[in-house]
Amino acid sequence: MSTPVKPARTGGKRTRTKNAKTAAGQADNITTPETIRLHLPEPAMPDFCGKRVLDMGCRDGWHCRYAIEHGAIACTGIDASEPHIRQALRHNASFWTEYRCAPLENPGLKPQTCDIALCAYALDEHPDPQTVLAHIHRSLIPGGTLVLCARHPLHTATGTPDTATDNNDTSAATLFARYFDESERAPAKGKPAPCRHRTTATLVNRVITAGFTLTGLSEHAPVPAHTDDTQTPVPASPAALVITAKRTG
């Protein structure tokens, strides 16, 4: 059962912080090292002006704040982690934003109540992405937009970048040898959930099966904030795959 949480209004008009124009994927003074690597790339951000936004797997609420500061009139952030919701309330709360602690496969969303749905890296390790996509489809108005971002399959093919192989071999031969094998990979360092590799075709077809019409597919190179001492992406390879789609019917 979801737990809605909404902060009290603190002023008569929307407050725009000095970070309102901070590019997605780059660090700012409220972003934690974990979530820096999990932002939507700036070119993939839709036009939020006048829109009601859903962020599935909102983590610390960075995308919710970004959407509000770029013209969204309301934003709902859903995450199954209570610590993530507490962090979102602490760092990215606003009168126009509501956070709920609920499982993504049972978020308790009302039908046709949002114009844009974001899902950034939330399905990478989720065991039932099709159910989550069905809930997103139901929550969107007809013609509403889905922006789904996932770790690029070139990275998940051998596992996560830090657990690719025993010797961290991320050569092209190793990547392609396991690309079509969608069995579970070993968990990333410090994470209990296994890496769930899906090919590009699988990701796209899941979106289509959920009732969406594909409108775009883009690949994005890593930005400096996507790397640290424990994660080293394959040089000159895409870090993120972004699928954009519309709800039809």
Side-chain angles (χ1 to χ4, degrees):
M1 185 173 181
S2 64
T3 305
V5 186
K6 194 167 185 177
R9 187 170 187 175
T10 56
K13 62 180 181 179
R14 182 175 306 182
T15 301
R16 301 180 66 87
T17 72
K18 64 180 180 180
N19 294 309
K21 297 299 182 179
T22 301
Q26 296 181 355
D28 57 32
N29 67 340
I30 66 167
T31 308
T32 62
E34 178 187 13
T35 56
I36 287 172
R37 298 190 299 272
L38 301 176
H39 290 166
L40 275 167
E42 178 75 18
M45 288 291 191
D47 180 8
F48 293 112
C49 190
K51 305 298 184 181
R52 298 164 297 171
V53 178
L54 168 67
D55 185 6
M56 288 287 272
C58 65
R59 294 184 175 83
D60 72 344
W62 192 93
H63 292 99
C64 292
R65 189 203 70 186
Y66 186 98
I68 292 297
E69 293 181 347
H70 286 76
I73 59 174
C75 194
T76 300
I78 307 289
D79 202 282
S81 167
E82 289 186 6
H84 282 165
I85 293 297
R86 288 196 297 267
Q87 189 178 39
L89 287 167
R90 185 163 59 248
H91 294 307
N92 294 309
S94 78
F95 178 74
W96 299 270
T97 305
E98 177 185 349
Y99 292 107
R100 300 181 190 173
C101 185
L104 302 189
E105 66 276 12
N106 187 24
L109 297 170
K110 294 181 179 179
Q112 300 188 22
T113 52
C114 64
D115 306 290
I116 296 173
L118 308 177
C119 191
Y121 301 100
L123 300 186
D124 285 359
E125 296 166 357
H126 200 283
D128 189 10
Q130 205 64 57
T131 297
V132 179
L133 288 169
H135 281 289
I136 293 175
H137 183 275
R138 180 172 176 268
S139 71
L140 283 167
I141 64 170
T145 298
L146 165 67
V147 182
L148 173 66
C149 182
R151 291 183 179 89
H152 199 282
L154 285 179
H155 288 299
T156 61
T158 55
T160 55
D162 56 322
T163 60
T165 60
D166 290 340
N167 61 355
N168 201 31
D169 180 9
T170 54
S171 65
T174 303
L175 290 168
F176 291 122
R178 298 196 66 192
Y179 182 80
F180 293 104
D181 174 11
E182 294 189 333
S183 61
E184 291 183 356
R185 300 336 190 223
K189 292 177 181 178
K191 291 183 176 293
C195 173
R196 299 179 184 273
H197 168 65
R198 288 127 183 170
T199 66
T200 299
T202 294
L203 292 170
V204 170
N205 286 328
R206 286 188 185 278
V207 171
I208 294 172
T209 300
F212 290 96
T213 298
L214 192 70
T215 58
L217 185 67
S218 58
E219 299 168 298
H220 300 267
V223 295
H226 280 172
T227 62
D228 60 22
D229 293 338
T230 64
Q231 286 194 314
T232 307
V234 180
S237 70
L241 178 70
V242 177
I243 301 169
T244 55
K246 295 280 188 184
R247 172 180 169 169
T248 53

